[in-house]
Amino acid sequence: MTEKKVVTTVFGIRNCDTMKKAFAWLEANGVAYAFVDYKKAGVAQGRLPDWNGRAGWQKLLNTRGLMWKKLSDAERADVDEAKALQLMAQYPSLIKRPVVEAGGALLVGFDPETFARHLK
């Protein structure tokens, strides 16, 4: 009986420093993956409802990045689930990187220990 191969899909933005760390970890650990640049491919909006249901908008929304700082005070004010999803759809750079789908797991952000638990 052959072992079923888990397909790992990494979503993010190629030139992001955190993405570079994630790519290096994946390659060093022999994890095969498909990469989707969600800024170019425009897949974020279609996947956001699923990701939100699995991880929560608070985990997905990157409030520490440059894009967040570029938003107006009004855009950053009173963020709730609906507003966060709308902002992330409008500005995919606001989605924390990487987002990794592997089997049933959804990993948000790069953490070597979490990657090791779910991707080896």
Side-chain angles (χ1 to χ4, degrees):
M1 190 165 153
T2 59
E3 189 177 316
K4 187 178 177 193
K5 183 76 177 137
V6 173
V7 176
T8 300
T9 306
V10 179
F11 296 88
I13 299 168
R14 184 162 300 280
N15 63 353
C16 163
D17 288 341
T18 303
M19 291 298 302
K20 290 175 185 172
K21 291 176 193 168
F23 291 141
W25 187 95
L26 291 164
E27 287 158 22
N29 287 277
V31 177
Y33 63 93
F35 172 66
V36 177
D37 186 327
Y38 54 53
K39 206 167 174 181
K40 291 180 182 168
V43 298
Q45 189 166 2
R47 292 190 181 267
L48 272 171
D50 175 56
W51 291 348
N52 180 47
R54 293 165 69 192
W57 67 269
Q58 298 93 333
K59 189 169 187 175
L60 288 167
L61 184 63
N62 181 5
T63 58
R64 295 174 54 193
L66 188 59
M67 188 69 232
W68 180 257
K69 293 173 177 76
K70 287 183 178 180
L71 295 177
S72 69
D73 290 341
E75 286 175 309
R76 286 194 306 254
D78 304 319
V79 174
D80 59 8
E81 181 179 25
K83 186 172 184 180
L85 293 174
Q86 178 265 319
L87 285 169
M88 288 185 281
Q90 185 176 354
Y91 306 110
S93 297
L94 287 174
I95 302 169
K96 198 172 284 178
R97 298 177 291 271
V99 176
V100 179
E101 291 182 346
L106 182 73
L107 313 179
V108 179
F110 174 63
D111 175 60
E113 291 80 27
T114 302
F115 270 44
R117 267 196 316 278
H118 293 278
L119 300 176
K120 282 198 166 185

